[in-house]
Amino acid sequence: MKLYLKPGACSLSPHIVLRESGLPFDVAAVDLVAKKLEDGGDFLAVNPKGQVPTLALDDGAILTEGAAIVQYVADRVPESGLLPAVGTMERYRVLEWLNFIGTELHKTFSPLFRPTTPDAFKEIAKQTLAAKFAVVEAGLAGKDYLTGDRFTVADAYGFTVLRWAPRVGLPLDGCPNITAYMARVAARPAVAAALAAEGIA
């Protein structure tokens, strides 16, 4: 498999999951502005959506959308515990967090990275995120990870998105559960390896 990514972007989530899974894979960095690959190739020929993450499977098929990719990878190695078994409430709790992170956190962050977003709207987005951080903070009370004592694909996504907070002027100092959680996840060998491979701290 080959994961197309941009260092530090949302593609960090499947990158972490791939490393946690132990499955063999390669990575390819993408210039999302120019839609070009490192070798000068056209990224749109790989993924017409022009977005990362993009996963090229062993049979040549292309899978897009981070939440779908992490579920695919986790289901390849069910013994990893990255995603509980189909039909269990534990699995639906992980999917619940995946959806919350994608719709309530990730998409609310997006306008903060666009230079064309009006300042007034950025302030609204920051207020919205602060309220959502409170949900995560409460959800982590008494837990090592989002759904309990086991790291799942939801944690890879949560960690990835929450890393952006300081970059947009939203320090997490007032969220002790999140702060401890971020340190705990960052200390995982697979996570540290993904961060190092992408050249980010």
Side-chain angles (χ1 to χ4, degrees), residues 17-189:
V17 171
L18 280 161
R19 289 186 180 275
E20 291 276 356
S21 76
L23 294 170
F25 70 98
D26 295 316
V27 297
V30 178
D31 180 336
L32 289 178
V33 176
K35 306 299 182 189
K36 294 291 183 184
L37 303 173
E38 289 175 298
D39 63 6
D42 181 9
F43 179 53
L44 292 175
V46 177
N47 178 3
K49 294 177 181 175
Q51 298 172 323
V52 295
T54 298
L55 185 66
L57 307 183
D58 293 338
D59 64 1
I62 296 294
L63 185 61
T64 66
E65 305 304 324
I69 292 171
V70 296
Q71 289 176 71
Y72 170 80
V73 172
D75 282 338
R76 290 274 307 270
V77 283
E79 67 279 7
S80 69
L82 288 165
L83 189 59
V86 173
T88 62
M89 183 52 68
E90 290 80 9
R91 186 183 183 98
Y92 295 116
R93 291 301 181 199
V94 172
L95 299 182
E96 182 179 30
W97 274 113
L98 271 183
N99 281 278
F100 178 84
I101 295 161
T103 60
E104 303 299 322
L105 297 181
H106 186 170
K107 288 306 176 187
T108 307
F109 266 109
S110 296
L112 298 175
F113 293 119
R114 293 192 198 106
T116 55
T117 301
D119 289 342
F121 186 82
K122 287 185 177 182
E123 285 308 309
I124 293 170
K126 287 181 180 181
Q127 291 170 18
T128 301
L129 281 168
K132 302 303 180 182
F133 291 166
V135 174
V136 179
E137 176 73 6
L140 283 169
K143 298 176 187 172
D144 286 342
Y145 300 107
L146 289 170
T147 57
D149 60 1
R150 189 155 198 170
F151 180 90
T152 71
V153 295
D155 296 297
Y157 196 13
F159 173 79
T160 294
V161 173
L162 289 168
R163 284 186 74 256
W164 302 337
R167 289 175 51 193
V168 298
L170 282 170
L172 297 170
D173 302 346
C175 300
N177 292 337
I178 293 178
T179 300
Y181 167 78
M182 294 298 284
R184 189 178 304 118
V185 175
R188 294 180 66 83

